[in-house]
Amino acid sequence: MPFARLATATTPTCHIGLGLAAVGRPGYINLGREEDLGTDRSAAALRTRTHELLDAAYAQGVRYFDVARSYGRSEEFLADWLNARPEAAADVVVGSKWGYTYTAGWSADAETHEVKDHSVRTYDRQRAETAELLGDHLDLYQIHSVTPDSPALTDKELHARLAEAAATGLTVGFSTSGPAQADAIRAALAVTVDGEPLFRTVQSTYNALETSAGPALAEAHDAGLTVIVKEGMANGRLAAPHAPDALRVVAEETGLGCDAVALAAVLRQPWAGVVLSGAATLTQLDSNLHAAAVDLDDDQLTRLATLVEEPNAYWERRGSLPWH
């Protein structure tokens, strides 16, 4: 599978990926977005910003890039970069997601930014859209934001479609969200086609505030899935100036940023295959990548563990974050 390329990579940052949710569209829920992006959020400006981030990430050893149909024009921006840099395209792993449709019309003030639908009809439409943009560059296609009640867990016709895609060499995975991520992960692990497990990767939210998916992610890893961690910065809540005091103190002890420490704590998990940076600026990216150099001791990890929130409270807070 394509992730074998990551397993043999030797750069310190090879297990940090770059997700383009924050730069593929003008509106998102990350804190501090006004300072990060400024006022020019035209497609041309965000395309340039995305390409600068991709250039810097690749130069510093990042080899996994993550997009989605609902991340505005992220697939298009990534495809343009890959097509202009064939040497990099041959060396990276590209993942995208289907299941949400972007509906904001390139506005940060839209009433609805994305609509979720895990039907076969949506899969067929979005698979064709992704193929038109990314073509053979696509390595991994994930169901976007599976929850325990998602029809994607029980739709046999959809499973057959995904198995057909897997038979052509595409890796099939899923992402999760919400307070019941662990239940969704375990349900997905039980999905089989012709007696074989369907999914080869799982992408879940895990960070210093939200750790509830940890045991299920360990089970997924033991079952042979590659685990991708998203939202390691809790949509900016773990970055300065928003970071809680315990994280600030540990960051001061390491001499690095709160963001690097937060991502380093995730990288320490033995089941974490790839941890995503969602950087929107080159400064953020550089700081995020320092996570590979952070060496946390047991006392520091114990203090960071005090930050954990009850899952329902965490997801209620996340759901209240405004689209900036």
Side-chain angles (χ1 to χ4, degrees), residues 61-277:
V62 174
R63 292 295 180 267
Y64 176 71
F65 298 122
D66 190 88
V67 293
R69 287 301 306 147
S70 61
Y71 295 170
R73 297 172 70 172
S74 63
E75 286 185 332
E76 176 188 332
F77 296 166
L78 177 57
D80 290 345
W81 184 83
L82 292 166
N83 291 332
R85 294 159 178 79
E87 72 290 343
D91 195 31
V92 302
V93 177
V94 173
S96 190
K97 308 179 209 65
W98 70 274
Y100 273 93
T101 298
Y102 179 66
T103 59
W106 208 256
S107 169
D109 301 317
E111 182 175 346
T112 302
H113 290 261
E114 52 191 19
V115 175
K116 184 177 181 178
D117 183 356
H118 285 167
S119 68
V120 171
R121 177 180 298 180
T122 296
Y123 168 74
D124 286 343
R125 172 175 58 82
Q126 294 195 318
R127 178 71 187 94
E129 292 167 348
T130 296
E132 182 175 359
L133 289 169
L134 289 170
D136 292 338
H137 294 309
L138 184 68
D139 297 299
L140 166 65
Y141 211 40
Q142 305 155 92
I143 307 175
H144 201 164
S145 196
V146 171
T147 53
D149 60 351
S150 172
L153 293 171
T154 56
D155 189 334
K156 299 301 183 183
E157 182 181 359
L158 174 62
H159 297 168
R161 288 278 215 290
L162 294 172
E164 290 173 2
T168 68
L170 189 67
T171 298
V172 172
F174 66 98
S175 74
T176 65
S177 62
Q181 287 189 110
D183 293 338
I185 293 165
R186 292 183 174 116
L189 291 178
V191 175
T192 61
V193 175
D194 295 331
E196 295 295 326
L198 177 60
F199 300 111
R200 305 307 308 160
T201 72
V202 52
Q203 180 176 150
S204 296
T205 296
Y206 183 94
N207 56 57
L209 304 176
E210 207 326 26
T211 63
S212 63
L217 292 173
E219 294 170 24
H221 174 268
D222 291 344
L225 278 70
T226 296
V227 175
I228 305 168
V229 176
K230 63 184 174 74
E231 299 183 350
M233 298 300 304
N235 300 103
R237 291 179 61 196
L238 296 174
H242 310 284
D245 289 343
L247 177 56
R248 289 172 182 267
V249 172
V250 173
E252 290 174 1
E253 293 170 356
T254 65
L256 294 170
C258 293
D259 58 310
V261 171
L263 294 178
V266 182
L267 283 168
R268 281 183 61 99
Q269 302 304 316
W271 39 259
V274 178
V275 178
L276 295 180
S277 162

Side-chain angles (χ1 to χ4, degrees), residues 1-12 14-15 61 63 91 93 273:
M1 58 188 297
F3 285 90
R5 295 205 293 275
L6 296 179
T8 58
T10 58
T11 63
C14 63
H15 292 289
R63 292 295 180 267
D91 195 31
V93 177

